[in-house]
Amino acid sequence: MNAINTAAGATEWRIRMSDGSSAILPPESSLVTRIYISIKSFFKNIILIFWRFLEKAWIIGMNEPRKVIHCIKVGIALSVVSLFYYMKPLYEGVGGTAMWAVLTVVVVFEYTVGATLYKCLNRAAGTSLAGFLAIGIHWIANQSGKRFEPIIMGASIFILASAATFSRFIPAVKARFDYGAMIFILTFTLVSISGYRVENLLNMAHERVSTIIIGASLCVITSILIFPIWAGEELHKLVISNLEKQAESLDCCVTEYFSDSEDTTTNTKKMLAYKCVLNSKASEETMANFARWEPAHGHFNFQHPWKYYLKISALMRSCACCIEALTSCINQKDQASEVLRKQLNNTCQQLSSSTSEILKELAMNMKTMRKSSRIDILIQEKNSAIQELETQLKQVSGLLIVPKGAKNEKNEEKPVVTTGNVIPMVEIIPAATFASLVIEIAMRIEGVVDAVEELSKMAKFKIEDAEMIKQSKPDIKIIN
């Protein structure tokens, strides 16, 4: 490596190669240039990250515009409640505790109407009950004298806080009043502690309760009047969607098992749709809990039987577990006898088709909230397909019976040469297992049918016109 001074006064470095040629190294950047490039790349990366964030936010907003509407509703509620600070008459009316109204809006405003009502009513009830109890115990403590006052207040905090905390472990209380119990503990403790040093405790409690009620009422009004999102309606749609996805998944699994094609990428998404049923338990229970707090809306009355949706979902998960077992059988379909798969092909597909049609019909009944007589016909078709498939499986079991060989003088059995009609057990078991799972799914679907029937009775689904004519005039035949 040689250094050569150029005409401009700069030093130029050259590397001499083995073949006699030389290469010029680029000049080293100065410290200022390197700092400039680092700062430039840093800000470029920041802008790129911010731009990607905006793109993702735009996609979420376009795909789910209701989330954008919810954000606007929260902004409207906070803007209105902030008027208690900006407008002097309102500020003086609440006694300077308007911040509690703002905090209430931030804490209790939820995505659905049911969730908002749940938090608002629990917060209002917990705050009011705790406030009244704290004032009553404070009065008793004052009458007992300065010596016993802190003892009574401390003992009351210990007893009531412990009892309220224990109530949160009771399933019925935890499901519907967990938030209220927590607010009760918080409010009672704060009011009791503040009352020991504050002279006008009643006025302070009144101001806080009134501002909390103002904030909660504003949340409820905004949530119901501006593009309401009902938890009950979301649960109704989710159960219907799960019924349709389970039917689609069952059809895809059976079709894929008896298909000769090895390419499964096109049907993988539909085949695994049953996972939505398995993973929706927590969201369904939450929605059902919030739906109980909602007023009557649309097709749903105030006492709509939301618990039956959970029963339907539990029975669907039982079927989905069997479908999950079907998917594992698909990975081992090459181990099954090709002859046996061809024999069971039509019957299994017929049974899965009738079963999926039942699920789709149930989804349609729930969607339209009408009873359909087609369910009975589909159940009869399913039962006939079950009997036919069971008969085929009994015939298959005869292939496992291998005649015993004759014994020689040493009482040893001679080996038997099997004919072509006998199929090895290891090739029969995979196909028979798959067919048995299809039968099990078809039989478990009857539980879903019964649960939807119970829901239709409790929710008073309407009867189809043809059914109404049959009931009013049984002698008239309905021609479809």
Side-chain angles (χ1 to χ4, degrees):
M1 182 183 294
N2 298 324
I4 302 173
N5 293 325
T6 59
T11 303
E12 184 179 89
W13 293 90
R14 292 178 180 269
I15 298 177
R16 189 175 299 278
M17 303 296 183
S18 58
D19 57 354
S21 60
S22 61
I24 301 174
L25 293 177
E28 185 177 355
S29 302
S30 63
L31 178 62
V32 176
T33 305
R34 290 199 300 270
I35 293 174
Y36 170 75
I37 294 173
S38 299
I39 295 174
K40 183 179 179 181
S41 62
F42 173 76
F43 282 104
K44 187 182 291 185
N45 291 333
I46 292 293
I47 294 171
L48 183 61
I49 292 171
F50 182 70
W51 180 255
R52 288 177 180 173
F53 171 78
L54 290 178
E55 285 183 342
K56 291 180 180 178
W58 177 263
I59 292 171
I60 292 173
M62 292 297 293
N63 293 336
E64 299 183 63
R66 291 190 302 177
K67 291 184 177 179
V68 179
I69 294 173
H70 172 69
C71 299
I72 295 173
K73 288 160 64 175
V74 174
I76 291 173
L78 285 173
S79 299
V80 173
V81 80
S82 63
L83 295 177
F84 284 89
Y85 258 99
Y86 299 146
M87 300 180 69
K88 190 173 182 180
L90 294 176
Y91 181 80
E92 293 176 350
V94 296
T97 58
M99 184 57 69
W100 286 94
V102 177
L103 291 175
T104 301
V105 172
V106 174
V107 171
V108 306
F109 207 123
E110 294 291 336
Y111 182 67
T112 61
V113 176
T116 303
L117 280 168
Y118 162 77
K119 279 199 166 184
C120 287
L121 295 177
N122 271 270
R123 187 176 182 86
T127 302
S128 302
L129 181 60
F132 289 134
L133 280 174
I135 291 171
I137 294 173
H138 177 71
W139 181 83
I140 295 173
N142 276 337
Q143 300 301 317
S144 303
K146 292 293 183 181
R147 183 178 178 181
F148 294 100
E149 183 178 0
I151 298 174
I152 294 174
M153 296 301 297
S156 64
I157 291 175
F158 171 76
I159 294 171
L160 291 177
S162 300
T165 303
F166 179 78
S167 69
R168 298 179 67 187
F169 293 104
I170 302 173
V173 176
K174 185 175 180 61
R176 306 194 68 175
F177 306 106
D178 183 68
Y179 184 71
M182 183 184 67
I183 294 299
F184 173 86
I185 298 169
L186 177 64
T187 304
F188 181 80
T189 306
L190 291 177
V191 174
S192 298
I193 294 172
S194 301
Y196 189 70
R197 299 295 180 184
V198 176
E199 295 182 359
N200 196 352
L201 179 62
L202 182 62
N203 186 38
M204 181 193 73
H206 174 265
E207 290 175 352
R208 291 191 180 181
V209 170
S210 61
T211 51
I212 288 172
I213 292 175
I214 289 171
S217 302
L218 184 60
C219 290
V220 172
I221 293 171
T222 307
S223 182
I224 293 177
L225 296 183
I226 304 177
F227 294 101
I229 301 171
W230 304 99
E233 189 174 345
E234 294 295 306
L235 175 62
H236 186 76
K237 291 178 180 178
L238 178 60
V239 174
I240 292 172
S241 175
N242 286 342
L243 282 168
E244 294 173 345
K245 288 178 180 178
Q246 192 161 354
E248 187 178 50
S249 183
L250 176 61
D251 277 339
C252 288
C253 285
V254 176
T255 303
E256 183 61 35
Y257 186 80
F258 293 103
S259 175
D260 296 331
S261 175
E262 297 182 357
D263 185 15
T264 61
T265 55
T266 55
N267 294 329
T268 300
K269 187 175 181 180
K270 294 181 179 179
M271 194 186 306
L272 299 178
Y274 71 90
K275 289 186 178 291
C276 295
V277 182
L278 296 175
N279 299 331
S280 61
K281 180 181 179 181
S283 58
E284 287 168 350
E285 290 178 349
T286 303
M287 289 178 187
N289 181 35
F290 291 153
R292 296 189 185 102
W293 295 88
E294 293 178 344
H297 57 279
H299 299 288
F300 310 107
N301 298 323
F302 183 73
Q303 295 181 342
H304 193 76
W306 299 112
K307 63 180 181 179
Y308 286 96
Y309 287 86
L310 300 180
K311 184 177 180 180
I312 293 170
S313 298
L315 293 167
M316 285 169 57
R317 280 190 291 274
S318 175
C319 299
C321 291
C322 290
I323 297 178
E324 189 171 27
L326 284 183
T327 57
S328 62
C329 292
I330 293 174
N331 299 328
Q332 301 175 355
K333 68 177 183 178
D334 294 336
Q335 300 177 10
S337 170
E338 187 69 26
V339 176
L340 188 56
R341 282 174 55 202
K342 289 182 179 179
Q343 289 179 358
L344 299 176
N345 183 2
N346 293 333
T347 312
C348 280
Q349 294 217 20
Q350 182 181 356
L351 179 57
S352 70
S353 177
S354 59
T355 305
S356 61
E357 282 296 321
I358 291 173
L359 290 172
K360 292 175 183 177
E361 188 67 22
L362 292 176
M364 182 58 65
N365 289 354
M366 292 183 64
K367 188 179 295 184
T368 58
M369 301 192 78
R370 291 179 178 272
K371 294 183 181 180
S372 172
S373 59
R374 188 166 176 259
I375 288 289
D376 298 330
I377 300 172
L378 293 173
I379 290 176
Q380 291 177 1
E381 294 178 358
K382 175 185 70 69
N383 292 335
S384 300
I386 289 175
Q387 291 178 359
E388 186 177 351
L389 185 55
E390 286 178 343
T391 302
Q392 286 188 345
L393 289 176
K394 289 178 181 178
Q395 294 173 355
V396 168
S397 63
L399 299 176
L400 294 172
I401 302 174
V402 181
K404 293 184 179 181
K407 294 183 179 180
N408 55 18
E409 296 177 354
K410 296 181 180 180
N411 203 24
E412 294 177 351
E413 191 173 290
K414 295 180 180 180
V416 178
V417 180
T418 58
T419 61
N421 295 328
V422 179
I423 303 174
M425 183 184 295
V426 293
E427 295 184 7
I428 291 179
I429 290 177
T433 302
F434 185 87
S436 300
L437 285 171
V438 175
I439 293 174
E440 182 65 22
I441 293 169
M443 295 178 68
R444 292 188 182 188
I445 287 299
E446 293 182 4
V448 181
V449 175
D450 295 338
V452 175
E453 180 65 23
E454 291 178 4
L455 173 64
S456 66
K457 290 179 181 178
M458 298 300 296
K460 298 179 181 179
F461 284 9
K462 294 182 180 179
I463 303 175
E464 286 187 344
D465 295 337
E467 285 292 300
M468 293 177 66
I469 295 173
K470 277 187 177 181
Q471 291 182 3
S472 59
K473 299 179 180 180
D475 296 331
I476 298 178
K477 294 182 180 181
I478 306 300
I479 302 174
N480 293 328

